[in-house]
Amino acid sequence: MINSIISAIGNNNSIYPLLVRDCGIEVPTKVYKTYQQNKDDKEIAYLATRERIIDEYSTSAVWLGGIPLIERVANYLIKKKKFNPEVNLKLYTEENGVQGLKYNIEKFKDIAGAEEAVKDLEKVLQNKEQYKRLQGNKFIATMAIPIALMGFVIPKAVFALTASTRAKKEALRKQREATTFNLPERNVAFSSRDVFDRFTLKRPKTISFNGGFAGAVCNLRTVDKMAITDGGYAVGRVATARKKNERIDLAFKMLGMMYLNFVAPKQIEKILGKISKQIFNVDVDLDPIILGDKELKQAILDNTLELPKSNSAKDLLEFVDNTKNSKTLFVKYASQFNKIKLLDNDVRDPRAYVDIKDLGAFRDSLYNFSESIKKLKLKTNVGGKGSVAKLIKNYILKARGAKTFNILANVGLSSYLLACVLPDLQFAFRELVTGSKLEPGLIIDDKNKKKKA
């Protein structure tokens, strides 16, 4: 269970690290920092904090849930047209001797259990333009709708709420000023505020009137689509900014967010991996779930770990498609971690595209790990099966511990950079550019002119 959780949040190609960083750490910290940054002006502090709460959580809901939801709806509509949306558009490009629509149809047509999948491929091959159009519309929908919501609708709604709150407050202020009481004996006019002050022992606190809280690309992974969506979202936010300074402020923030969400975690992962190899002398390329599997330990101990001969496309797919290898650890792990997709009878799904580079790197990680243990055994000259088993166990435990630490450190560091460092840099940049700590979109120009005067 713990290995599964660590594995999920350590997979930088999935949404789980984003979910942990975004909702669990980044948003609450940003809300707090926004209030602290604007606390010199109580009205702006309240409005800025409210805007941040509504904006961040509604955006997170669309960002993390919008694309998968729209994809489900789009897939349902594609099925209504009698196509299987699982057929990958990349298969239209025939890779000689490896994969492609025609190649896969020919290869799998006589394999038991793959009949339906082959029919799906034939249907798509015969209706190429229609299927491409449907998948294209699906891609546009999964990109355009979240971008429109996050980049334009949500900020406009938040700005409208702020404007409404200020308008109501201004209307009440004018109403108070218009209400006067004339006292003939002294011929002095008092506003309702003055009368209230005279008949109270203490001057009351200011009343706050708050408003309520109201092809290649078509088959990208969800996290890749989220990265593209983030770019459109950034453009939308800059375009809908209320003022020039707010536009500059948002551009700085959005560029930083995109880098720290999608680029930095992978860079940190590589750096931590190199450090672990140098310090602990262990390979940490494998997932904690694999390192925690007793079958792997036993296979290495018995020298029965079966892998493709090389990372070439031919060797990889020949190994996976050989029914004798369907129960091997390589096929099991490759399927578990979405390197390949299997049908119910353990036959590779011909509708799915295989990323040869990714599958080859995975094969190399398993090979390198097993070779590291073999070299360690030779160096130490350990005798007896029991001693060898203990050696393997300790090495795997060390590798799993290092990998777990790297994952948690990566999430912690990237979360800290997003939640603490980026806002502080943004606020420093804001002060440098605008000369004020306050939220640039909430500053009232006339008010500022009076203060300067």
Side-chain angles (χ1 to χ4, degrees):
M1 179 65 177
I2 293 175
N3 282 339
S4 298
I5 295 170
I6 298 295
S7 171
I9 65 173
N11 184 0
N12 287 310
N13 291 320
S14 78
I15 70 168
Y16 296 109
L18 298 173
L19 187 63
V20 171
R21 290 198 302 264
D22 195 67
C23 295
I25 301 170
E26 183 187 347
V27 173
T29 307
K30 280 183 175 180
V31 169
Y32 171 75
K33 280 187 165 288
T34 296
Y35 175 79
Q36 289 295 112
Q37 181 68 14
N38 293 278
K39 66 182 180 180
D40 291 345
D41 187 306
K42 288 184 179 179
E43 181 198 29
I44 289 180
Y46 164 73
L47 292 172
T49 304
R50 185 179 70 175
E51 284 192 352
R52 180 54 58 90
I53 290 171
I54 297 172
D55 184 24
E56 292 290 345
Y57 280 107
S58 57
T59 298
S60 294
V62 174
W63 193 49
L64 295 168
I67 291 175
L69 178 62
I70 295 166
E71 281 190 335
R72 287 194 193 98
V73 174
N75 285 341
Y76 171 77
L77 295 174
I78 291 173
K79 286 176 183 177
K80 294 285 282 183
K81 296 289 185 180
K82 308 299 181 186
F83 291 101
N84 190 323
E86 299 302 316
V87 178
N88 197 300
L89 284 178
K90 290 180 182 177
L91 294 174
Y92 276 117
T93 302
E94 298 285 337
E95 298 179 23
N96 292 334
V98 181
Q99 59 186 332
L101 280 179
K102 293 178 182 177
Y103 180 85
N104 285 8
I105 289 170
E106 195 62 31
K107 182 175 182 177
F108 288 88
K109 68 180 181 180
D110 296 322
I111 296 177
E115 296 89 352
E116 286 300 315
V118 170
K119 285 180 183 177
D120 291 335
L121 292 176
E122 289 172 339
K123 171 88 171 174
V124 166
L125 183 62
Q126 292 162 9
N127 300 275
K128 181 177 178 180
E129 295 306 318
Q130 185 183 1
Y131 186 70
K132 277 188 174 182
R133 187 166 60 252
L134 288 169
Q135 284 286 9
N137 290 339
K138 170 185 165 181
F139 175 76
I140 292 169
T142 55
M143 296 294 98
I145 295 174
I147 288 172
L149 288 172
M150 295 189 301
F152 299 90
V153 176
I154 291 173
K156 287 290 186 183
V158 170
F159 296 160
L161 179 61
T162 296
S164 174
T165 300
R166 278 181 157 166
K168 286 177 183 176
K169 189 173 181 180
E170 181 64 16
L172 287 166
R173 184 187 66 78
K174 288 180 178 178
Q175 187 179 6
R176 286 199 301 269
E177 288 177 353
T179 307
T180 57
F181 296 84
N182 294 319
L183 302 180
E185 64 275 15
R186 295 183 62 190
N187 198 29
V188 179
F190 291 92
S191 71
S192 57
R193 177 81 256 175
D194 295 326
V195 173
F196 184 75
D197 289 343
R198 281 177 176 269
F199 288 95
T200 54
L201 296 174
K202 279 182 163 185
R203 189 174 185 90
K205 293 178 181 178
T206 304
I207 299 172
S208 178
F209 298 90
N210 303 332
F213 281 85
V217 291
C218 293
N219 292 105
L220 290 170
R221 294 165 301 183
T222 298
V223 68
D224 295 324
K225 290 179 181 177
M226 289 171 74
I228 296 171
T229 304
D230 223 30
Y233 156 52
V235 171
R237 285 305 170 96
V238 172
T240 55
R242 289 166 286 197
K243 298 177 182 178
K244 180 184 175 182
N245 284 341
E246 185 177 41
R247 196 169 289 118
I248 296 169
D249 190 58
L250 281 170
F252 183 90
K253 181 182 89 169
M254 297 307 296
L255 287 172
M257 281 177 61
M258 289 179 68
Y259 171 74
L260 292 175
N261 265 322
F262 298 103
V263 181
K266 293 182 180 180
Q267 293 177 334
I268 294 170
E269 182 181 20
K270 288 180 181 177
I271 293 169
L272 291 174
K274 288 180 181 177
I275 293 172
S276 294
K277 196 160 187 177
Q278 289 177 353
I279 295 176
F280 302 108
N281 196 30
V282 290
D283 284 304
V284 291
D285 290 336
L286 296 178
D287 190 275
I289 290 178
I290 297 175
L291 294 172
D293 190 352
K294 292 179 181 178
E295 282 190 79
L296 176 66
K297 176 188 144 187
Q298 195 61 46
I300 294 175
L301 177 62
D302 299 337
N303 200 27
T304 57
L305 181 63
E306 296 180 71
L307 297 171
K309 293 183 218 176
S310 74
N311 59 13
S312 71
K314 183 176 180 293
D315 286 342
L316 289 168
L317 294 186
E318 273 187 6
F319 184 91
V320 170
D321 294 338
N322 189 331
T323 54
K324 293 178 182 178
N325 299 325
S326 62
K327 300 301 180 184
T328 61
L329 288 177
F330 178 77
V331 173
K332 171 190 169 183
Y333 296 146
S335 173
Q336 188 175 357
F337 292 93
N338 300 317
K339 312 297 179 184
I340 58 172
K341 186 176 179 183
L342 300 179
L343 299 172
D344 292 338
N345 60 348
D346 291 332
V347 172
R348 179 167 65 89
D349 189 344
R351 296 167 299 196
Y353 178 82
V354 179
D355 186 331
I356 298 298
K357 187 178 179 181
D358 189 34
L359 184 62
F362 180 67
R363 176 262 175 204
D364 289 346
S365 295
L366 276 168
Y367 176 79
N368 292 335
F369 187 79
S370 64
E371 287 297 302
S372 296
I373 293 178
K374 286 178 185 177
K375 288 176 185 176
L376 184 64
K377 283 161 62 179
L378 290 172
K379 280 183 183 178
T380 52
N381 293 317
V382 177
K385 193 171 182 179
S387 298
V388 173
K390 187 176 180 181
L391 176 72
I392 293 172
K393 181 182 177 182
N394 289 339
Y395 184 88
I396 292 175
L397 281 174
K398 199 192 325 185
R400 191 172 70 185
K403 182 68 173 182
T404 299
F405 173 80
N406 287 357
I407 288 171
L408 295 176
N410 194 342
V411 171
L413 180 57
S414 55
S415 296
Y416 174 73
L417 291 172
L418 270 166
C420 300
V421 176
L422 179 59
D424 287 344
L425 287 174
Q426 180 193 354
F427 297 151
F429 178 76
R430 175 190 298 172
E431 214 169 339
L432 180 68
V433 172
T434 70
S436 172
K437 293 181 179 180
L438 304 179
E439 208 74 28
L442 292 170
I443 296 174
I444 300 173
D445 295 333
D446 289 339
K447 185 177 177 181
N448 289 342
K449 286 177 184 176
K450 286 177 184 177
K451 282 185 179 180
K452 287 178 183 176

